[in-house]
Amino acid sequence: MSQIKNGNKKNVRLYKKVRNTTAWGPVALLFALLVFFNVLVVYMSGFVLEYIFESKFAEGYSQVESVAKMYEYGSDDESIMELIRSGDTAFVVTDKSGAVIYENGRNTCGTNSGVIKMSNGAEEYMVYQDSEAGFFYPKEDGTLGFKWKSIFKWAISLAMMSERETISESEEYSIINGVYVSFTDEASPDTERSLLPAVMQIESIQLPLWISADINGGEQQFIGRAYLGFNMRDNILACELITAVITVIFIIALVMTIYIIRTAVNYRRVVNLFYRDPVTEGHNWIWFVRNGEDKVRSIFTKRESFAVVNLVFRNYRNYCLCHSLADGEVLLADIDRVLLAEMRKNEMCAHATMSNFALLLHYDNDAALAARLRGMIMRLHGLGQGHSFEFQAGADTVLPQKEQDGRIVRRKDFSIEQAYNNACSARATLGKTEKSGVRIFDSSLLEAQRWDDTVREKQWSALNNEEFEVYYQPKFDPRTNTLRGAEALIRWNSPEYGFVTPGRFIPIFEKNGFITEIDHYMISHVARDQKSWLEAGYGCVPVSVNVSRAHFVENDLAEQIRDMVDRYDCPRELLEIELTESAFFDDKNAMISTIKKLKEYGFAVSMDDFGAGYSSLNSLKDMPLDALKLDADFFRGEGSGDRGEIVVAEAIKLAKNLNMRTVAEGVEEKSQVDFLAEQGCDMIQGFYYAKPMPKSEYAEKMSRQTNG
Ligand code: C2E
Ligand code: MG
Ligand code: MG
């Protein structure tokens, strides 16, 4: 059992591991990596861009510086000035206060829009944007910023450029929004350009900007227009490279994402497989335990009450025998389907084992739950179609747990397996007689279960420590009031549990098989006692010992009893065997042969509790018994009047006709004794004469009678 439980726990652990392996972790990691790479790419691009611009600025500075130098030395020399003016130069010369001293070309220097302080390592210089083609600007911290909006607009206007605005044949370039753009040779003037082809056909662009250079020992500033030239072929190559890298990253990300999603889907499938019952194709026990426990423990349901139910289809084995295992499994699947249809929100049903189903239902009160379960059983009967099916249900309730101050708390220690086990125990108490029924677990059942376990646990030590005592209840002849016999009855004198009567442990021993040990124990003790009393000179009378039906499965029972009695050298006629009526339902032939053997060996055999069951009359016909013990029920209660007397009288007559003695059990009244004496009952065993007593007391009684 514990192995199964451990196995189950192992499975649940494995399941948890599988279930918790979701795709979210790797997806998050992938996402984080993508973000990281993006940031890295952006940062690196910014860094590279800045580097490129700085070097371009430095280039621009040297262009401007050379013109500035020419101006510095040749401002008075008209031929030099002519030379300067003849080029496509534009510049402004200012004095220290910023006042313009000289201007050449169109002054589009954006001095108002801020200045970027740059350095080429040796000198520091200022950069101003061109007021017409301002694609960059000085940021507040003096570094370079890009006017993305202008760049975008510029790109659009380039794309929208109509034929009319195309390159004039005389010029090598077009000026678009202040930017000088030269096109490749393939660029046809009549090509209507869409954004991409137009961009693709650009050979280079020249961004104008203004750079200052100190002249005349810093007294004046020469601010000249320079062009930052960008060769688009290189840029396109760079763009293609970046596109390729991004594409590769994207493909890797896509493949990884697909892989992760597929793995996650497969995990889900494994989980579902793990939870699926192979017979019903519905949910299985592990699903029930896992989810049921979570549900009941959940913070959301802590105020709700639940019932954990064990529902059993009792005819499963027979059905499979009459039909086939496959038909039986189809039927189980149908049962599962019917039960599933009965489930309400937050309720669960699963196939547990064989023909057992586990349910988790809402609970209001015992009556409502029992009614609901009976309703379900009614509907399940409908599956029978000609067969009469039996279903039994047991339930254990799970109520909200409260703290001492009445606050409801989480049921963190709740175990659905324990609750289901309780439900099974409750169901088991219905036994075989209640065909279809419902039983709800209560604490008395738990007590019974605990006691059952305690008895099982203690039985061997109790036997070895001689805690079981033999009590003797005398049997008297009602006509002479003399002692004619006795019955040995067991008592458990437990140091822990006190004086325990057989009703509390004999049924447990009968269930667990320990009863055979008890029977041996009693026979040997009685044989030993009888022998010692004989030796003491008492007038011993036969003592009957109860032998359980469980014992009759042993073929050599008669021999065992004979040997035990002989071991103590006790005359066999001093020991009688009592068989309870229920024992007669077992293998009749084996029973007859054992009785015959016992009689052969010299033991008397009697039928105990005659009249308490059903077919004892029939058994009498074949069993060569010596005595009939009329059950105590004949002499109990109100109904034991005239009709009862007729039955008892006839039973005694019947026994006589079959050559059997009669013993009346449970006789407490004088009137009953008189009546029985009148009817010729041979012996009476009842409180009227004596209660079961310890060995010493019985011996004393015997000695008195012997001496008397
Ligand atoms: P049983 O064999 O039918 O024993 C008779 C029971 O009736 C005894 O109960 C006895 O105390 C009780 N009894 C006798 N006269 C009266 C009476 O006038 N009034 C009332 N109220 N009760 C009376 P006990 O000792 O509790 O035993 C109960 C049953 O336990 C026995 O029924 C027998 O079936 C079983 N049992 C007892 N000892 C043994 C044993 O050693 N081996 C086996 N296998 N079963 C035993
Ligand atoms: Mg008895
Ligand atoms: Mg009896």
Side-chain angles (χ1 to χ4, degrees), residues 471 473 487-491 501-503 505-507 510 515 518-519 522 545-549 578 580 608-609 629 631-632 636 664-668 685-692:
Y471 268 52
Q473 186 178 26
E487 181 177 8
L489 294 161
I490 194 169
R491 298 289 180 264
T501 52
F505 58 89
I506 289 290
E510 277 177 341
I515 192 71
I518 290 296
D519 289 351
M522 292 296 282
V545 180
N546 293 286
V547 175
S548 159
R549 60 189 295 191
E578 279 189 27
T580 49
D608 202 356
D609 302 337
K629 291 188 80 179
D631 192 72
R636 239 174 244 153
E665 276 188 308
V667 176
E668 297 183 357
Q685 177 190 344
F687 290 0
Y688 174 76
Y689 283 111
K691 289 188 174 176

Side-chain angles (χ1 to χ4, degrees), residues 640-679:
S640 57
D642 291 348
R643 291 175 70 87
E645 285 182 352
I646 293 169
V647 175
V648 171
E650 289 305 315
I652 293 170
K653 231 184 261 171
L654 176 78
K656 279 201 186 312
N657 288 339
L658 290 170
N659 260 340
M660 292 159 79
R661 282 172 287 119
T662 43
V663 183
E665 276 188 308
V667 176
E668 297 183 357
E669 311 284 336
K670 168 95 173 75
S671 59
Q672 292 169 335
V673 175
D674 293 344
F675 169 75
L676 287 164
E678 213 176 285
Q679 298 305 315

